[in-house]
Amino acid sequence: MEIGAEAIVQNKTPKRAAVTAGADRPGRRPTSGRFRRLNVLVGVLSIPLFVILWELISRSGIVNMVLFPPPTVVAAAVLEWMRSGQFFWDVAASLYRVSAGFLLGSALGVLLGILTGQFPVVSSLLSPLFQILRPIPPIAFVPIVILWFGLSEAGKLFLVVWGVFFTVWLSTHIGVQKVDRGLIRAALMLGTPRRQMLQEIILLGALPYIVVGLRTAVSISFYTLVAAELAGTFAGVVYRIEIAQQNLQTGQVMGGLAALGLISFIADRLFAALAERTVWWR
Amino acid sequence: MSGYRSTTKLALASSQPSVKAASKQPAIQVSNLSIVFDTNRGQMIAVDRVSFDVAAGEFVCIVGPSGCGKSTVLNTIAGLELPFEGEILVEGSPVGNPRPDIGMVFQQPHLFPWKSVRRNIAHGPRMLGRSAKEACAIADDLIAMIGLKRFADAYPNTLSGGMQQRVAIARALANEPRVLLMDEPFGALDAQTRAVMQDNLLELRDRIKATIVFVTHDIDEAIVLADRVLIMSAGPGRILREVAVNLPRPRSSAILIEPTYLALKRDCLEVIRAEGLRAFNQSDSS
């Protein structure tokens, strides 16, 4: 029987062998290598080229430099923002809102997703309600949130939680429902008690779906953060963008956008790395 | 649980001296089993008064066209299909819920994708209250038996279909079931792998001494493996014929060209062909 296993292993090795075998054929490899190097070079140049073009257009007089400041002006505004000490507090305030809202919203989403996914009665009770509330864009809740919570942090938290919850709930619900029935039958045949099925099979079976939902929720939490901070506050990256806009500090506005984009990008990347470890068997 | 374990051990020990213990109580007794499904076109009789016994240590194959209810019969014996009419006794006690003394291998391996090969196999013993160490020892023995030592820590998605199904068989054997039910376990494999798997199963069977009921639609597979073949008809599922396979053991897929084998196969095929024609004409006229 070991022989069978070896045959299968050998089936897998040719992939690696083929890569090295390519080196023996002088005709192909240099060509594909040259193309690859060209692609890397173009990729590295992408952002610098864009920035240089932006700088040239801004300073050329084709556009109004006050409304469309060049990157150097934006960079100066960002440096000033950092030097004043406001940058740190703005970022801290925004990060706090995003992470608190994300954690609370996803905890609720996972919990209720498991309940509605597992128990048809709970699903019949809650799913219609959630399906009605889910399509309402969270931003549309800003006016009523101001009425309910004023300018307090609770209102900001509410908006982010609201945005995150439905996505995580739905993906968890679907994940739980899509757990392979065959795995459950196999587990039953192996003596798994029904009350242990949740922890042994269902949670892990649903995990890939939950992780996808959580990752979507990361970007949703940033969308709702924008709405939350525009609704009125005293610190935050989006708040700073709004203040700068009112003072016609376009450089600061663009710097704020860049900072927001960077933070959101880093959050997404971190979560992607985390997700890879969470679904460890892939 | 410990009481149950010890009786199993005793039964195993006492059954060893005589493999063909015809006088003993059969491992599986199915009497007048009927299963009716509710479909949107009314009630459908999937299985119609099926009765058969399987002796302890016997290897029985159930053959029939797809949709004849052979898998349903197997699932019912496993305790996965409820409710049913009639009586099923496994090792003398009626089946209801799934029992750890009945092992099952499905057409798909259904391995837990988040567990390594070793932990997949150790799952059953863990669930029956064995310590992690004991369960791993059981798993490692079985891994050696199926020849996958190098893959003990691999995850299922890195294994080929044949290897996955071998792990599924080892996982079902980890609880030392008295009865092993196999539902077209090699149906999804290519022809070469299937032949190797059949030889492996015959080899394995000599070591485990479990009673095996094996469902397939492949008449060759059934004759190569079985002591006895039950041929089922479709719509409603009935047992048409029972064929004893008196080919010498140890067997391998090499017997596929022996004259005695071919004679047996001709018998089986005639029954199946007559039944197929009858079913075809029936569906044509209705």
Side-chain angles (χ1 to χ4, degrees):
Chain A
M1 229 174 288
E2 279 289 347
I3 295 163
E6 262 160 32
I8 290 152
V9 175
Q10 278 165 1
N11 271 342
K12 286 193 172 174
T13 37
K15 273 185 208 160
R16 247 178 263 146
V19 174
T20 41
D24 301 337
R25 275 176 282 163
R28 277 188 65 165
R29 200 177 154 82
T31 324
S32 66
R34 206 177 299 149
F35 272 116
R36 203 175 336 123
R37 250 172 283 146
L38 187 69
N39 275 338
V40 169
L41 189 70
V42 171
V44 167
L45 285 178
S46 162
I47 291 171
L49 274 177
F50 172 74
V51 171
I52 290 168
L53 196 69
W54 174 10
E55 182 84 29
L56 288 177
I57 291 175
S58 281
R59 293 197 182 275
S60 68
I62 306 170
V63 291
N64 184 340
M65 217 174 105
V66 176
L67 295 180
F68 199 75
T72 42
V73 173
V74 173
V78 171
L79 274 179
E80 180 51 37
W81 184 17
M82 284 176 168
R83 213 169 289 152
S84 70
Q86 278 175 330
F87 181 80
F88 175 77
W89 292 111
D90 286 335
V91 169
S94 293
L95 276 184
Y96 163 74
R97 286 170 194 137
V98 163
S99 36
F102 177 79
L103 287 178
L104 191 59
S106 13
L108 283 173
V110 169
L111 187 72
L112 282 161
I114 290 170
L115 288 177
T116 57
Q118 266 290 72
F119 305 106
V121 185
V122 185
S123 181
S124 304
L125 180 71
L126 296 179
S127 296
L129 178 70
F130 288 172
Q131 293 292 17
I132 283 179
L133 294 177
R134 196 172 65 89
I136 307 174
I139 299 171
F141 282 86
V142 168
I144 204 163
V145 162
I146 293 175
L147 285 181
W148 286 344
F149 298 98
L151 299 184
S152 69
E153 282 304 309
K156 316 282 174 285
L157 195 66
F158 176 88
L159 279 172
V160 179
V161 167
W162 188 271
V164 166
F165 169 76
F166 291 105
T167 305
V168 176
W169 164 72
L170 190 65
S171 58
T172 308
H173 176 86
I174 292 173
V176 168
Q177 299 237 302
K178 286 224 168 160
V179 172
D180 186 356
R181 305 327 284 173
L183 290 183
I184 295 173
R185 286 155 78 90
L188 278 175
M189 288 314 295
L190 293 169
T192 316
R194 281 187 191 273
R195 65 194 143 75
Q196 277 188 43
M197 207 53 85
L198 184 69
Q199 64 186 77
E200 287 289 336
I201 309 297
I202 290 161
L203 269 186
L204 288 160
L207 194 59
Y209 287 85
I210 298 176
V211 167
V212 169
L214 289 176
R215 188 164 174 197
T216 318
V218 170
S219 39
I220 289 180
S221 61
F222 277 93
Y223 298 153
T224 41
L225 173 79
V226 175
E229 291 194 358
L230 287 180
T233 177
F234 310 103
V237 176
V238 183
Y239 164 79
R240 194 60 54 200
I241 293 175
E242 201 194 4
I243 296 294
Q245 178 246 338
Q246 285 165 10
N247 294 332
L248 210 66
Q249 295 166 313
T250 330
Q252 167 86 74
V253 171
M254 287 185 167
L257 288 176
L260 197 63
L262 195 66
I263 295 169
S264 174
F265 175 77
I266 292 170
D268 185 62
R269 278 298 126 128
L270 279 179
F271 197 87
L274 197 74
E276 221 154 85
R277 279 157 205 260
T278 315
V279 188
W280 68 86
W281 59 91
R282 291 228 163 143
Chain B
M1 198 50 77
S2 59
Y4 154 71
R5 275 270 142 207
S6 59
T7 50
T8 318
K9 282 270 162 59
L10 269 176
L12 195 88
S14 62
S15 72
Q16 268 164 358
S18 54
V19 179
K20 279 194 176 177
S23 60
K24 277 234 199 80
Q25 163 199 300
I28 304 171
Q29 289 168 281
V30 177
S31 359
N32 278 318
L33 173 66
S34 293
I35 298 161
V36 180
F37 286 138
D38 284 319
T39 67
N40 44 16
R41 282 191 296 168
Q43 291 200 318
M44 202 257 298
I45 302 170
V47 176
D48 188 18
R49 284 161 294 164
V50 162
S51 300
F52 62 91
D53 286 357
V54 182
E58 196 182 14
F59 195 140
V60 167
C61 279
I62 304 179
V63 199
S66 33
C68 74
K70 55 193 191 298
S71 291
T72 311
V73 169
L74 206 68
N75 284 329
T76 313
I77 299 172
L80 290 170
E81 196 79 59
L82 294 168
F84 59 88
E85 280 171 49
E87 193 184 35
I88 303 175
L89 299 176
V90 175
E91 298 286 317
S93 53
V95 299
N97 284 317
R99 290 158 35 173
D101 63 331
I102 306 176
M104 178 113 179
V105 180
F106 302 88
Q107 181 169 9
Q108 300 300 323
H110 292 316
L111 299 177
F112 307 126
W114 48 85
K115 290 191 174 192
S116 64
V117 167
R118 182 184 287 118
R119 301 212 24 226
N120 257 287
I121 300 174
H123 179 88
R126 287 290 286 146
M127 287 296 119
L128 296 188
R130 299 290 191 103
S131 73
K133 213 176 158 192
E134 282 178 302
C136 272
I138 294 171
D140 284 337
D141 282 352
L142 284 162
I143 290 169
M145 209 192 268
I146 57 170
L148 290 180
K149 265 186 181 166
R150 265 176 301 162
F151 297 89
D153 295 308
Y155 285 94
N157 66 347
T158 62
L159 305 181
S160 71
M163 288 157 97
Q164 288 189 23
Q165 201 54 287
R166 270 191 273 168
V167 176
I169 294 171
R171 184 176 66 170
L173 293 176
N175 282 344
E176 295 177 41
R178 304 285 295 127
V179 168
L180 182 63
L181 307 174
M182 307 183 86
D183 186 5
E184 298 195 44
F186 309 146
L189 305 175
D190 60 77
Q192 287 94 329
T193 314
R194 192 186 310 177
V196 174
M197 294 290 287
Q198 288 165 0
D199 291 350
N200 287 345
L201 179 62
L202 288 175
E203 228 174 85
L204 209 57
R205 187 220 173 189
D206 292 339
R207 295 192 239 178
I208 56 169
K209 299 182 176 67
T211 306
I212 301 178
V213 181
F214 187 109
V215 159
T216 176
H217 59 250
D218 180 346
I219 188 72
D220 285 319
E221 182 166 74
I223 301 175
V224 167
L225 294 174
D227 298 320
R228 194 151 53 99
V229 177
L230 304 177
I231 301 175
M232 275 186 79
S233 70
R238 284 201 190 103
I239 292 181
L240 284 179
R241 178 84 63 90
E242 214 186 284
V243 180
V245 183
N246 293 318
L247 294 170
R249 290 188 187 271
R251 289 181 207 159
S252 72
S253 39
I255 60 161
L256 284 172
I257 43 169
E258 305 255 334
T260 36
Y261 170 86
L262 291 173
L264 265 175
K265 185 175 173 181
R266 192 190 306 124
D267 282 358
C268 294
L269 282 177
E270 261 164 30
V271 176
I272 291 170
R273 207 167 142 258
E275 173 59 21
L277 274 175
R278 190 195 62 81
F280 184 80
N281 291 333
Q282 199 177 44
S283 69
D284 207 33
S285 61
S286 66

